[in-house]
Amino acid sequence: MGNRFQVTGRFADGAQYIGGRLRAGTSGQRHSVVDPATGESVHTYELASTADVDAAVAAAKAAFPGWSGATPGERSDALHRFAAVLAERADDIARVESLQCGKPLKLTTEFDVPGTVDNTAFFAGAARHLQGQSAAEYSGDHTSYVRREAIGVIGSIAPWNYPLQMAAWKILPAIAAGNTIVLKPAELTPLTSLMFAQAATDAGIPDGVVNVVSGAGRTVGEHLVGHPDVVMTSFTGSTPVGKRVAEIATATVKRLHLELGGKAPFVVFDDADLEAAAHGAVAASLINSGQDCTAATRAYVQRPLFDAFVARVAELMETVRLGDPFDPATDLGPLVSHRHRDAVAGFVERARGYATVVTGGEIPDGDLKDGAYYRPTLITGAPQDSEVVQSEIFGPVLVALPFDSDDEGIRLANDTPYGLAASAWSRDVYRAHRATREIKAGCVWVNDHIPIISEMPHGGSKASGYGKDMSVYSFEEYTQVKHVMFDNTAVAAKDWHRTIFGDR
């Protein structure tokens, strides 16, 4: 298949990045990175052990005083160089991301990699703007001001669906604020996280500021979260695993940021542009083969448009081209693994007992039989309380359901445990504004679904977690707000002392 990228030599020294260099893990357990388009191993490495975590945390702890003590301008300059190095290596990074994830090359070259370069450039600028409240005499006798200070070593865990972007979302705000970090990527997809860390070193960011440990979640991940020298954990992944992370972090009183699952509603009102909504639904449900926590998964369509919407979405889905991720003509690549593909197929097969599969619902054969492919799938007729409506499938599956009144549409949109992202489709500004107010989600798009930008925050509510990635709002997670108060009176015996001892 295609023009694939050879990675074994690049990571010959190992898949751990500690103290500014690649090194081998010490667990004694080997793990293969598998190309999901072919089922073939592209790189085998030794997983990290808890001792490797200890070494990475020690490197980050040693680097913290120097990095946190650098001026904002010095950190900004280093991040600008970092963005430039990433831009120079964009083609290689995109090919490795496509290889380990199965993403079409047009997605990695036009979305994942440029988005990451832009995110890096954004935080290069944001590093100079760690602002607190202006100084003032709020008590009359004192001058108060607020400092934002780095908090220490961050231990972050990133998922397999966007390995490069999630590494950036974890690392960049943390180090821009003056922290140091140990990142654990998913063991399925560690390669671009390692390339990202190497680029940081090559840009002049000091050794130990960015570290990567590639290992299993139950051992390495849990040890990282519970490590006594880690002051904060940022986790992106499923809600069940997030609950476990929270248990461990709470036991050691760590600061915690969770970006968890989603089940995004796509609400189409009867005055919407049908063609725009249909195109938007296909793109938003199939991005990254549906392996996106903000992907459109539940299309609620007001009844006058419902039949036409279903017909048009099915028609468009049937034009989507599955194929080799390295073929420029490919629209949709495989899922990340055969195991995950089979889990997605299981949701659809069970749904056949209570709903209608309008299109898709198949594992392709022929040239694609060895890969973890699954055809774009549209389901109708599912009850609101059914599995495919309520549970995160994380695949190229869209469920379409009708509604009558606006009240019903918004109620159904909110009727899952999740609250990460949503969209509303309408030409009526009042209708759209109502939807943005009343749909419970961290992001609500209007007449579009999926675009993200570095300047705006990303994060959810309810079972989708709390805290923000990207934007200056992310500094709320990665800085300690300190109130400093100066006495301005030079009076030894202050009036308030009498409430404790003596008389006025």
Side-chain angles (χ1 to χ4, degrees):
M1 273 191 169
N3 181 17
R4 306 188 111 58
F5 194 87
Q6 299 302 313
V7 300
T8 300
R10 183 182 290 269
F11 302 105
D13 292 333
Q16 318 304 323
Y17 198 80
I18 299 172
R21 67 182 182 88
L22 285 168
R23 54 193 254 186
T26 61
S27 69
Q29 296 177 294
R30 305 287 289 175
H31 184 82
S32 289
V33 177
V34 174
D35 177 354
T38 63
E40 297 174 356
S41 173
V42 297
H43 182 65
T44 300
Y45 68 96
E46 190 161 347
L47 292 168
S49 67
T50 56
D52 297 320
V53 174
D54 293 340
V57 172
K61 185 177 180 181
F64 177 73
W67 183 247
S68 62
T71 67
E74 289 168 337
R75 290 197 294 270
S76 176
D77 288 347
L79 285 164
H80 277 299
R81 294 193 301 270
F82 189 9
V85 172
L86 291 170
E88 290 170 1
R89 300 175 183 179
D91 185 65
D92 282 0
I93 295 171
R95 288 183 175 279
V96 174
E97 192 79 334
S98 289
L99 185 66
Q100 68 177 354
C101 300
K103 297 171 184 277
L105 193 59
K106 68 178 181 179
L107 181 65
T108 59
T109 57
E110 296 180 33
F111 181 72
D112 296 69
V113 175
T116 299
V117 173
D118 182 74
N119 212 224
T120 307
F122 169 80
F123 278 106
R128 291 179 179 265
H129 298 283
L130 288 169
Q131 297 174 340
Q133 195 168 13
S134 299
E137 288 68 47
Y138 295 99
S139 77
D141 291 336
H142 306 82
T143 296
S144 288
Y145 66 88
V146 169
R147 291 175 56 89
R148 281 195 178 274
E149 297 181 344
I151 58 178
V153 177
I154 313 300
S156 291
I157 300 176
W160 48 256
N161 59 330
Y162 288 101
L164 176 67
Q165 286 196 314
M166 294 300 100
W169 288 16
K170 300 303 181 194
I171 291 169
L172 293 171
I175 67 173
N179 303 288
T180 56
I181 190 166
V182 178
L183 174 78
K184 192 202 89 66
E187 58 267 40
L188 288 174
T189 54
L191 302 181
T192 49
S193 298
L194 297 167
M195 296 173 78
F196 190 76
Q198 180 68 63
T201 298
D202 294 344
I205 292 174
D207 294 350
V209 172
V210 177
N211 306 274
V212 177
V213 288
S214 306
R218 290 188 178 275
T219 52
V220 166
E222 292 196 3
H223 188 66
L224 178 62
V225 174
H227 199 288
D229 289 332
V230 169
V231 299
M232 174 191 161
T233 290
S234 177
F235 170 81
T236 296
S238 71
T239 298
V241 178
K243 291 178 181 179
R244 175 60 180 157
V245 169
E247 289 174 2
I248 300 168
T250 301
T252 51
V253 199
K254 284 181 172 53
R255 187 180 293 200
L256 185 60
H257 165 217
L258 297 174
E259 200 267 270
L260 306 177
K263 192 70 178 174
F266 186 100
V267 183
V268 182
F269 294 99
D270 58 14
D271 67 324
D273 182 326
L274 177 63
E275 192 69 7
H279 277 82
V282 173
S285 63
L286 300 185
I287 185 172
N288 201 33
S289 297
Q291 299 166 127
D292 187 312
C293 51
T294 62
T297 60
R298 298 178 291 138
Y300 294 105
V301 185
Q302 207 148 25
R303 203 170 296 275
L305 291 185
F306 182 75
D307 290 343
F309 176 87
V310 168
R312 186 62 174 135
V313 168
E315 182 181 36
L316 290 170
M317 280 188 169
E318 288 164 6
T319 69
V320 172
R321 298 163 297 184
L322 278 68
D324 178 4
F326 289 84
D327 183 341
T330 293
D331 295 321
L332 197 71
L335 292 139
V336 73
S337 69
H338 289 77
R339 178 180 178 183
H340 183 59
R341 188 271 316 274
D342 292 345
V344 170
F347 276 99
V348 177
E349 291 309 306
R350 291 189 294 274
R352 293 184 193 277
Y354 56 80
T356 300
V357 177
V358 177
T359 189
E362 297 172 345
I363 296 172
D365 53 17
D367 293 343
L368 304 180
K369 64 181 177 59
D370 294 327
Y373 290 90
Y374 197 75
R375 294 200 183 282
T377 300
L378 177 64
I379 295 174
T380 61
Q384 176 65 18
D385 62 356
S386 63
E387 179 186 47
V388 291
V389 176
Q390 294 293 325
S391 299
E392 190 172 32
I393 299 173
F394 225 56
V397 180
L398 177 66
V399 181
L401 300 170
F403 68 91
D404 291 304
S405 68
D406 289 16
D407 288 348
E408 182 188 18
I410 291 172
R411 177 181 62 78
L412 292 171
N414 288 329
D415 184 27
T416 71
Y418 299 104
L420 184 58
S423 63
W425 297 74
S426 173
R427 292 184 174 96
D428 185 327
V429 66
Y430 298 102
R431 222 175 197 180
H433 271 295
R434 180 193 176 189
T436 64
R437 289 194 308 271
E438 296 186 14
I439 294 176
K440 305 304 180 186
C443 174
V444 181
W445 293 281
V446 176
N447 295 327
D448 208 344
H449 192 117
I450 281 297
I452 55 174
I453 51 175
S454 298
E455 292 83 358
M456 288 291 113
H458 176 87
S461 61
K462 303 195 297 183
S464 293
Y466 46 82
K468 300 300 180 185
D469 288 309
M470 298 200 301
S471 83
V472 294
Y473 291 98
S474 64
F475 287 141
E476 302 295 332
E477 318 303 325
Y478 294 101
T479 57
Q480 177 65 44
V481 173
K482 178 187 286 184
H483 170 218
V484 178
M485 178 180 269
F486 279 83
D487 170 58
N488 293 330
T489 66
V491 173
K494 294 178 170 55
D495 186 59
W496 73 268
H497 291 175
R498 68 184 175 79
T499 63
I500 311 302
F501 71 99
D503 301 317
R504 176 171 292 177

